[in-house]
Amino acid sequence: MFTLIHKDKNSKARLGKITTQHGQFDTPAFMPVGTHATVKGLLFKDVREAGAQIILANAYHLFLRPGIEIIKKAGGLHKFMSWDNPILTDSGGYQVFSLALFRKMYDRGVEFQSHLDGLKHFLTPEDVIKIQETLGSDIIMPLDQCVQYPCTKEESRVAMERTVAWAKRSKDAHGEARGSLFGIVQGATYEDLRGDCAKRLVDMNFDGYSIGGVSVGESSNLIYNIMELVVGLLPLDKPRYAMGIGYPFDIVEAVERGVDMFDCVIPTRYGRNGTAFTSGGKITVRNATYTEDFKPLDPKCGCYVCQNFSRAYLRHLFNAKEMLGLVLLSLHNVYFFLDLMRQIRQAIKEDKFTQFKQMFLMDYNNQICA
Ligand SMILES: [Zn+2]
């Protein structure tokens, strides 16, 4: 499934390709998040045109609404949402941890109360695999147990042990069915727990490995250290996915450490809130400084928004509460992240990733656009 094409000579960054039943995607890859089977505010043709080769959808949300049976009747998730490219689905472990009104973990599975209607559900790791198989996901995540930050070592150990046991049951349940199955490395900020978890999952031989439970409130340096440690224990011939990462500066740091896949809601979430990511850092389009600023959001950006509209116009749309403002800013932000990945891949190809990272961070941190 994963082909390693080239390793950067001066860092651990790598260029690769992943093949799924719905086509291929290049790595390092960024997956726009389609929580409810939609990348908020955007047409899929625009998401595709912006350079998305794979998107992420959430099994937890789709299980609760509209329900798996409806998606099954529609012919699977790809048909239901009309996206004929790869889809990765999240197992719901993180959503149960962060959204459910109530949750209780047992060795057998998780009991939780829906954040939508308060109804109680019980899901086993086997159920979660079946749900994603029914959706027709190209890349499937097993149920795992997240912990909050900070968390005692004993709590982290219990969650990690359960995650490993559930990973084994998920692998047995999935067998040779369609869709690649990843293992999720947990263990909070404890290096020995992370290391133990990674080694035991590698012994089970998953199709790829995710680093879970990062970016839940810990410092950036702690996240980078954990990623470096975990990646060092993973096989070279399998993809590595940092779940929920992140900001542009986090992505370049993770790529440097050998991570191949990313997802994050921030391009669309920030877009809806009026914040644009640019090569010169973040800008808030509502600010009065842009009232008569007829430059594009990011003069270096090649997206439809930057080719056609000014900061002044976008500011006007947000002030007038016009929905086009949300759409255009989301589109630019998604393009910005996907274009960052294109530039990263090109830099790795030319063995210039380290220089690229330095230049990118210098411009980004200096707020040259603001
Ligand atoms: Zn743009």
Side-chain angles (χ1 to χ4, degrees):
M1 153 209 197
F2 178 69
T3 312
L4 181 57
I5 294 171
H6 183 71
K7 277 169 75 182
D8 181 59
K9 282 201 168 59
N10 308 302
S11 73
K12 290 178 186 146
R14 38 200 239 148
L15 186 70
K17 202 176 260 301
I18 293 178
T19 306
T20 76
Q21 59 215 359
H22 287 90
Q24 297 184 318
F25 63 94
D26 301 309
T27 62
F30 181 80
M31 301 180 279
V33 175
T35 305
H36 297 119
T38 161
V39 178
K40 283 189 199 302
L42 301 180
L43 298 177
F44 279 121
K45 72 177 178 64
D46 293 339
V47 174
R48 181 73 186 166
E49 214 165 86
Q53 298 175 313
I54 173 170
I55 60 159
L56 177 145
N58 289 106
Y60 168 88
H61 291 280
L62 298 174
F63 165 76
L64 293 178
R65 185 174 58 191
I68 300 303
E69 275 311 303
I70 289 177
I71 296 176
K72 187 180 177 184
K73 279 182 191 160
L77 184 56
H78 293 79
K79 272 204 175 140
F80 185 56
M81 65 197 285
S82 196
W83 169 264
D84 197 27
N85 301 109
I87 298 176
L88 179 148
T89 43
D90 200 352
S91 67
Y94 180 75
Q95 283 72 33
V96 164
F97 159 75
S98 60
L99 286 179
L101 300 176
F102 153 92
R103 77 202 67 79
K104 191 146 172 56
M105 299 289 189
Y106 302 91
D107 287 338
R108 200 161 66 82
V110 57
E111 185 184 18
F112 65 95
Q113 202 178 357
S114 162
H115 70 290
L116 295 175
D117 55 15
L119 282 180
K120 274 191 187 168
H121 300 275
F122 192 96
L123 289 175
T124 65
E126 290 82 2
D127 295 332
V128 169
I129 293 296
K130 280 283 159 283
I131 287 169
Q132 293 175 83
E133 287 172 0
T134 306
L135 291 173
S137 308
D138 298 288
I139 302 179
I140 294 173
M141 294 293 137
L143 188 64
D144 62 333
Q145 183 174 343
C146 297
V147 291
Q148 60 201 9
Y149 175 80
C151 177
T152 68
K153 188 158 186 183
E154 187 50 24
E155 284 170 323
S156 306
R157 194 189 62 74
V158 169
M160 183 277 278
E161 289 290 346
R162 191 168 276 150
T163 296
V164 171
W166 286 357
K168 173 78 175 72
R169 282 167 55 187
S170 301
K171 196 156 195 310
D172 292 343
H174 186 54
E176 299 300 312
R178 280 159 67 101
S180 303
L181 180 65
F182 279 32
I184 304 180
V185 179
Q186 291 288 358
T189 50
Y190 301 100
E191 293 189 358
D192 53 339
L193 296 182
R194 287 277 180 182
D196 189 22
C197 188
K199 283 181 200 146
R200 288 159 69 186
L201 292 176
V202 169
D203 285 344
M204 293 182 212
N205 192 25
F206 282 91
D207 297 315
Y209 297 89
S210 307
I211 307 167
V214 285
S215 198
V216 289
E218 70 282 43
S219 73
S220 288
N221 279 337
L222 208 47
I223 297 176
Y224 304 153
N225 289 345
I226 290 294
M227 282 195 293
E228 192 157 349
L229 170 103
V230 172
V231 169
L233 297 168
L234 299 177
L236 289 172
D237 60 348
K238 300 284 174 73
R240 300 92 176 246
Y241 162 32
M243 302 175 85
I245 299 282
Y247 289 94
F249 49 84
D250 286 330
I251 290 178
V252 293
E253 294 288 349
V255 165
E256 188 175 41
R257 288 161 174 80
V259 177
D260 308 301
M261 295 166 64
F262 302 90
D263 78 280
C264 200
V265 295
I266 62 174
T268 44
R269 180 172 293 167
Y270 276 62
R272 291 196 303 282
N273 290 331
T275 300
F277 289 89
T278 77
S279 54
K282 289 199 307 261
I283 66 174
T284 306
V285 294
R286 273 198 194 86
N287 286 354
T289 40
Y290 304 122
T291 310
E292 294 185 27
D293 187 339
F294 301 108
K295 290 194 295 297
L297 278 176
D298 184 349
K300 289 186 183 168
C301 179
C303 87
Y304 167 76
V305 184
C306 292
Q307 297 309 305
N308 290 283
F309 305 104
S310 65
R311 296 172 178 186
Y313 178 63
L314 293 164
R315 175 176 188 272
H316 158 68
L317 291 180
F318 268 86
N319 281 342
K321 296 192 169 55
E322 282 293 337
M323 67 172 104
L324 185 61
L326 284 59
V327 170
L328 293 180
L329 233 57
S330 299
L331 181 58
H332 161 81
N333 280 350
V334 166
Y335 182 96
F336 176 82
F337 275 70
L338 293 166
D339 192 53
L340 170 63
M341 305 319 288
R342 276 190 290 264
Q343 293 178 51
I344 285 173
R345 292 194 295 264
Q346 186 61 32
I348 297 172
K349 204 176 181 177
E350 296 169 2
D351 288 313
K352 289 178 182 162
F353 179 75
T354 313
Q355 294 101 300
F356 170 80
K357 182 193 150 193
Q358 279 167 0
M359 295 293 287
F360 173 80
L361 289 180
M362 199 168 68
D363 287 349
Y364 188 83
N365 292 332
N366 282 346
Q367 294 277 322
I368 53 162
C369 271

